[in-house]
Amino acid sequence: MDILILGVDGYLGWPLALHLASQQHRVAGIDCFLRRAWISEVGSHSAIPIYTIEERLQAFKDCFGVELMFRDGNLLDYSFLKAFLAEFQPDTIIHLAEMPSAPYSMIDQAHAAFTQQNNVIGSLNVLWAIKEVCPNAHLIKLGTMGEYGTPNIDIPEGFFEVEFRGRKDRLPFPRQANSFYHWSKVHDSNNTMFACRTWGLRATDIMQGIVFGSHIDEMSGDVRLRTRFDFDQCFGTVINRFICEAVIGHPLTVYGAGGQTRGFLPLQNSIQCLTLATENPSDPGEYRVFNQFDDCYTVEELAAAVQRVGLEMSIEIDIEHYNNPRTEPDSHYYKPDRNHLVELGYQPKHDLETEIRTMLQDLMPHKSRVLEKIDVFVPDIRWEGGRRFSKKVDIKATPV
Ligand code: USQ
């Protein structure tokens, strides 16, 4: 297949390009390096050093014997986007080019507005460009499990049957996002669903859980093929942060009581799922939703798992509770479905503890890079507005 990855320089985009090329797909990519800029803006860097795009593209060619067709461009530049779609004529477009951080979107008005402008208008441009240039292409759009929030009932995959005043319908499951970033993804989902219904486009909207992991098999043997690994309060997701904290002896930063429950999956499995969705496209006019995660854990269970694996490797790890900078329930019901990918043949290959062990091994050599940015661990971006560092709390003694 001819596959275009939007956001090919990112944490997921780069490994996905490598994996799809290893499966003999022809891969092209667009990026304008915003992720690299945001990480500098928040005063951090990738714990695992990554290479320039020129070096990455050369390594790709050395590894696979073919070029990755790359363009430096922004999805807000509609004529650029349209022209590249016309040139490459993709069968599949995998859209990973959004600002992915909840805390970043909550910094202030400017960051909230930037997030929604970048994500919602960028994605709207993708829909229009597909309609105008390649209406039969399959759009795989990265949404988030966070679109659903944490309702007190089970979460289906996108839609549910509902009976109201004696009548029944199949309707979108209510979205209750918990940051301006997560709401931007809800707006994208609505626009994508509408474009499929109105123009007959085909799309898969991936409600992905939290991804963790430091490498995939296709990166082994060439350091230029590594993907980034962020650990700051905005772009580092919870397990990746815990791993970096563990390697430098910083206590694991559990926010609040730590009962927040989410769906998680390792990087390698996320790439496997996106490949399955690519190779099994939706039908013309079909808008389908996949919940993409392996298992649900509380934050406290994750911290305990990191501590347990660390102990096996003779790494002593402390866990501390900090007052929660986010406004979110830290004890709640959470039971989402995840059947659609399984029906396509998905079998998770990597489990939590094996992956934690691999991550600790991968990050140990980069301890000094993490230490250089030790200030990024204690969060100060608060959902109620303003910035104030979270303090350690004894959750047994203090209501949080
Ligand atoms: N948390 C901690 N300590 C930390 C970091 C986070 O306790 O040091 C807690 C947070 O309070 C939250 C949970 O861990 O309850 C998850 O936080 P996160 O930063 O790992 O993930 P989140 O903000 O939900 O966003 C991440 C990605 C986002 C993706 C989403 C999937 O940044 O792009 O959409 O995961 S999901 O969470 O399923 O919506």
Side-chain angles (χ1 to χ4, degrees):
M1 276 186 181
D2 293 344
I3 302 165
L4 171 60
I5 301 175
L6 310 176
V8 75
D9 189 51
Y11 175 57
L12 294 176
W14 182 245
L16 182 61
L18 302 181
H19 182 70
L20 291 172
S22 79
Q23 303 299 300
Q24 272 65 58
H25 293 295
R26 184 170 159 251
V27 185
I30 289 178
D31 210 293
C32 64
F33 312 112
L34 284 176
R35 175 62 169 262
R36 295 182 189 236
W38 296 324
I39 299 295
S40 309
E41 180 193 340
V42 299
S44 194
H45 59 201
S46 168
I48 297 178
I50 54 162
Y51 285 74
T52 63
I53 191 68
E54 292 75 19
E55 290 163 323
R56 283 184 152 184
L57 294 173
Q58 185 57 50
F60 184 98
K61 193 172 170 201
D62 295 345
C63 182
F64 300 109
V66 289
E67 304 225 352
L68 184 156
M69 195 196 275
F70 176 77
R71 293 289 183 279
D72 176 354
N74 191 317
L75 302 186
L76 298 185
D77 180 350
Y78 186 58
S79 49
F80 154 78
L81 177 63
K82 244 177 94 174
F84 191 52
L85 289 196
E87 183 183 348
F88 185 66
Q89 289 292 338
D91 300 306
T92 309
I93 297 164
I94 306 176
H95 180 11
L96 311 173
E98 293 192 89
M99 200 301 292
S101 162
Y104 188 86
S105 75
M106 299 300 289
I107 292 176
D108 56 19
Q109 180 277 337
H111 286 82
F114 166 80
T115 300
Q116 296 223 345
Q117 163 86 358
N118 184 71
N119 292 2
V120 181
I121 305 304
S123 301
L124 188 64
N125 285 350
V126 172
L127 293 170
W128 271 100
I130 294 174
K131 170 192 160 28
E132 294 196 316
V133 178
C134 47
N136 200 37
H138 174 213
L139 171 65
I140 297 179
K141 163 76 182 58
L142 191 69
T144 166
M145 281 300 293
E147 293 187 30
Y148 301 120
T150 53
N152 204 25
I153 54 174
D154 292 5
I155 301 173
E157 297 191 71
F159 293 87
F160 73 148
E161 296 280 337
V162 63
E163 189 174 339
F164 183 62
R165 293 183 181 161
R167 297 183 65 84
K168 282 188 187 166
D169 205 350
R170 180 177 179 267
L171 294 174
F173 189 74
R175 301 317 206 244
Q176 302 186 86
N178 194 38
S179 72
F180 287 119
Y181 151 69
H182 286 97
W183 278 112
S184 75
K185 295 267 185 170
V186 177
H187 306 325
D188 292 342
S189 288
N190 288 333
N191 287 343
T192 307
M193 181 169 56
F194 174 71
C196 290
R197 196 173 69 217
T198 307
W199 298 334
L201 302 190
R202 52 169 96 203
T204 304
D205 203 354
I206 307 276
M207 301 298 117
Q208 179 158 260
I210 303 175
V211 180
F212 59 96
S214 44
H215 77 251
I216 64 165
D217 293 345
E218 286 81 0
M219 287 167 191
S220 305
D222 189 335
V223 292
R224 296 171 301 167
L225 295 176
R226 289 164 170 168
T227 193
R228 59 177 318 113
F229 194 91
D230 293 309
F231 55 99
D232 60 276
Q233 67 172 318
C234 289
F235 296 92
T237 49
V238 62
I239 307 186
N240 291 3
R241 274 166 63 76
F242 285 176
I243 298 294
C244 289
E245 290 164 349
V247 301
I248 63 163
H250 190 288
L252 307 189
T253 50
V254 172
Y255 299 168
Q260 305 91 311
T261 309
R262 302 285 184 272
F264 291 85
L265 78 169
L267 178 61
Q268 192 119 346
N269 291 355
S270 166
I271 300 303
Q272 193 197 334
C273 290
L274 291 168
T275 305
L276 262 176
T278 302
E279 292 173 348
N280 298 275
S282 52
D283 293 329
E286 185 189 6
Y287 167 78
R288 64 180 182 181
V289 178
F290 291 175
N291 290 352
Q292 183 167 303
F293 65 93
D294 290 346
D295 296 295
C296 295
Y297 301 98
T298 65
V299 170
E300 207 165 39
E301 284 169 341
L302 295 174
V306 173
Q307 194 177 44
R308 206 164 41 243
V309 177
L311 204 62
E312 284 167 27
M313 296 169 70
S314 306
I315 308 170
E316 218 174 281
I317 299 169
D318 287 335
I319 299 173
E320 295 278 6
H321 291 259
Y322 288 76
N323 61 29
N324 196 340
R326 309 183 183 197
T327 305
E328 62 181 0
D330 58 11
S331 161
H332 57 90
Y333 182 79
Y334 196 64
K335 194 160 175 288
D337 293 346
R338 61 161 192 85
N339 302 323
H340 292 171
L341 279 158
V342 174
E343 283 155 17
L344 291 182
Y346 173 55
Q347 289 178 329
K349 287 198 187 124
H350 297 254
D351 66 273
L352 177 69
E353 295 213 354
T354 314
E355 203 65 27
I356 289 175
R357 202 165 293 115
T358 306
M359 291 163 80
L360 286 168
Q361 282 158 357
D362 282 351
L363 269 298
M364 274 300 181
H366 304 296
K367 194 172 166 174
S368 60
R369 280 180 69 81
V370 179
L371 270 171
E372 259 179 65
K373 303 288 181 187
I374 192 168
D375 293 345
V376 304
F377 286 117
V378 178
D380 70 344
I381 299 166
R382 310 199 72 81
W383 258 229
E384 72 262 25
R387 295 182 79 152
R388 182 162 41 84
F389 280 106
S390 292
K391 294 214 170 65
K392 285 182 192 173
V393 284
D394 177 355
I395 54 151
K396 288 184 202 90
T398 326
V400 283

